[in-house]
Amino acid sequence: MPIRSNTCRAAFVCLSVLLPGAVCAEGIDTEHLFGFMIGTDIGSVGERELQSETTGRFSKNGGKYRAIGQEFELEFVPAKNVRVELGTSFASHYIRGVPGLEDRRQLSWEGVSVDLRYRFLDRDAAPFGFTVAVESHGSRIDETTAAAVRSYGAGLTLAFDREIIPNVAVAAVNLIYQPEWTRVVGTGAAEQESTIGAALALMVQTRPGFFLGGEARYLRQYEGIGLQELAGQALFVGPTAYFQLSPRSRLTAAWSVQAWGRPAGSNAALDLVNFERHHARLIFGVNF
């Protein structure tokens, strides 16, 4: 009984410390809250931001594999409910002894991207927020093999979010479709693939401007842009943290591990052929 009493008292003290700061905070802005997902908030008209996004993908089915992408983005809001993002990216690869991949160690300029978002429903005026994001990119380096290619990809994301506890906790859902067209420079071989998936996130504000939570993503990769043949599937889960560094700057950190996966035609517990074992992302942004 004394042990239970002390445990309950400690839990009550922890909650009393955390909750008041969260409850007194102003409304939650989900625009940059997540690591591997997007929120439905767009920003204010005239707002401009510079953003650095570093993404690491580690570990394949044998050997050593490390791929790090660095993207620099300019974001601006030209009209109500509309956001435009222009980006350019670099890619670093270290591949040694991975079955099916050539050994490489290189740093290259990867390509450019454009991201357009439109918010159809605002959480303040509707039961939930709803935003559609359409992204396109051109690449000269294959993000997995690091081979020289001429690649064009697109992405469609349907984003939903809702504050579960006002000013304290928010939940989000993303539905994605990403087709890709690729031509290998050395051989001229043409390839098509696509990825579909669903993602769920929950973030809790423990202090004003400080959020902790997690994201879960289920992804299915197909050969062909029309989802013709399943190549593999994977479930990623991991924590996310968001820090409001100052009124004009922010930082988001996320890590995700493949908890389950399966290549097509295999009974393996993980899909390390089409996906990596670990994903990590660090996002820094500043308004100007």
Side-chain angles (χ1 to χ4, degrees), residues 103-285:
D103 290 354
R104 295 180 185 273
R105 185 171 188 171
Q106 67 183 50
L107 172 64
S108 306
W109 176 60
E110 186 174 23
V112 296
S113 64
V114 178
D115 186 314
L116 306 176
R117 300 186 190 181
Y118 185 82
R119 181 172 59 185
F120 286 91
L121 296 177
D122 187 339
R123 282 194 318 278
D124 292 337
F128 56 86
F130 173 46
T131 291
V132 174
V134 179
E135 181 264 353
S136 63
H137 63 268
S139 302
R140 54 188 295 276
I141 299 296
D142 187 274
E143 70 171 7
T144 300
T145 67
V149 298
R150 296 294 178 266
S151 177
Y152 169 75
L156 173 65
T157 302
L158 307 182
F160 307 84
D161 57 26
R162 176 184 173 88
E163 291 190 31
I164 305 302
I165 304 176
N167 301 329
V168 176
V170 60
V173 172
N174 282 185
L175 304 176
I176 66 170
Y177 168 60
Q178 299 170 336
E180 190 93 18
W181 296 263
T182 301
R183 182 175 296 276
V184 181
V185 172
T187 65
E191 303 173 355
Q192 295 183 3
E193 64 180 27
S194 55
T195 301
I196 63 170
L200 173 67
L202 177 65
M203 297 291 286
V204 177
Q205 186 169 208
T206 61
R207 281 282 189 244
F210 177 55
F211 290 80
L212 286 176
E215 302 176 41
R217 297 173 294 142
Y218 173 65
L219 305 175
R220 294 171 65 91
Q221 186 166 311
Y222 291 83
E223 296 180 4
I225 62 172
L227 311 181
Q228 285 92 338
E229 184 177 347
L230 178 66
Q233 54 188 319
L235 173 66
F236 289 87
V237 296
T240 301
Y242 174 89
F243 309 86
Q244 189 69 44
L245 301 177
S246 73
R248 291 183 175 273
S249 61
R250 54 180 168 78
L251 182 70
T252 305
W255 172 72
S256 195
V257 62
Q258 187 180 151
W260 176 88
R262 180 168 294 172
S266 170
N267 292 323
L270 297 173
D271 183 356
L272 299 179
V273 176
N274 301 286
F275 304 94
E276 298 76 29
R277 182 67 195 274
H278 300 279
H279 291 172
R281 179 166 288 174
L282 186 67
I283 306 171
F284 172 76

Side-chain angles (χ1 to χ4, degrees), residues 75-90:
E75 305 170 1
F76 55 96
V77 184
K80 184 179 180 181
N81 295 323
V82 176
R83 202 195 81 165
V84 179
E85 178 183 297
L86 306 176
T88 185
S89 58
F90 297 83

